[in-house]
Amino acid sequence: MRLPNPNRLFKNLNIRKKLQIAFFLSAILPLAIGGIYGLYYSSRTLKETYLRELSREAEERGAELEKTVATLRGDLLFLSGLPTLKAYVRSMGPHGGPESVAARQPVLEAFSYFARYRPEIYQFRFLVESGWERLRVNSSQGYVAVEPIEKLQDKGERYYFRETTQLPEGAVYTSPMDLN
């Protein structure tokens, strides 16, 4: 590609116009280069700042989540030690046999009461060795409901149940988050 001859481009211009164009270009060129560099540097700095802030926020949320999980572990250990729950388990006999209805109600009341004050927990389940739910309390937006016996489900094939059965007594299993 051949560049046009500048003498032809500016042939009809007097010296004054040529000097004005030269001064204009000599002023604009450094400004353009400086502007481009400024944009590049600013965008790089903004990106680094954004990534630092994002990383800090992720660390804060991670620490918050760890604290919540630790609190939930404590809640679970507390609930597992309730005398009403222990009486309910004793009423079932070996391997989760039929339970006493009289022993079931106080546990459901305790779970329901607890759910009212811990709205971040949306479900309490009690499963027997076979994996069947024996108790379930659902909580959503301040509404707490006991699941009827006929709606209780078999969770024996779920990964979280299988993993939990491998733990020693008193240990708590924390499953990955999923939609079930």
Side-chain angles (χ1 to χ4, degrees), residues 49-62:
T49 302
Y50 176 74
L51 289 175
R52 270 194 311 275
E53 181 62 25
L54 196 60
S55 177
R56 183 193 61 75
E57 188 176 325
E59 286 177 15
E60 283 179 7
R61 292 200 179 184

Side-chain angles (χ1 to χ4, degrees), residues 3-180:
L3 293 174
N5 184 348
N7 290 331
R8 278 192 185 163
L9 285 174
F10 301 111
K11 179 173 140 179
N12 296 332
L13 298 177
N14 63 28
I15 191 77
R16 183 175 178 199
K17 289 286 183 195
K18 289 179 183 177
L19 284 173
Q20 285 176 341
I21 292 172
F23 283 128
F24 179 74
L25 290 176
S26 66
I28 287 294
L29 193 57
L31 284 175
I33 292 171
I36 291 169
Y37 176 75
L39 283 173
Y40 168 76
Y41 183 76
S42 295
S43 67
R44 193 179 82 193
T45 303
L46 282 172
K47 181 181 176 183
E48 289 170 358
T49 302
Y50 176 74
L51 289 175
R52 270 194 311 275
E53 181 62 25
L54 196 60
S55 177
R56 183 193 61 75
E57 188 176 325
E59 286 177 15
E60 283 179 7
R61 292 200 179 184
E64 204 174 284
L65 184 59
E66 285 178 11
K67 184 179 175 184
T68 300
V69 169
T71 300
L72 293 172
R73 280 187 176 140
D75 290 347
L76 183 60
L77 292 172
F78 168 78
L79 290 170
S80 70
L82 287 175
T84 54
L85 183 60
K86 289 182 178 190
Y88 176 69
V89 170
R90 282 192 302 275
S91 80
M92 282 192 279
H95 309 294
E99 76 268 14
S100 157
V101 175
R104 185 176 197 273
Q105 193 57 37
V107 178
L108 289 171
E109 288 173 8
F111 282 7
S112 297
Y113 184 78
F114 198 81
R116 281 188 193 89
Y117 294 96
R118 294 303 303 268
E120 65 275 13
I121 301 173
Y122 77 96
Q123 199 169 66
F124 292 85
R125 297 176 191 219
F126 178 78
L127 298 122
V128 293
E129 291 174 7
S130 65
W132 272 93
E133 292 177 318
R134 294 306 279 269
L135 305 168
R136 185 178 352 140
V137 173
N138 299 316
S139 175
S140 177
Q141 300 174 345
Y143 177 74
V144 176
V146 172
E147 199 67 41
I149 291 174
E150 58 274 3
K151 289 196 175 183
L152 299 179
Q153 302 170 356
D154 181 8
K155 300 294 181 181
E157 295 301 316
R158 301 296 174 117
Y159 70 91
Y160 56 82
F161 179 76
R162 289 192 309 268
E163 294 289 328
T164 301
T165 61
Q166 304 303 312
L167 297 175
E169 189 173 329
V172 176
Y173 173 71
T174 305
S175 67
M177 294 180 116
D178 68 18
L179 298 176
N180 191 13

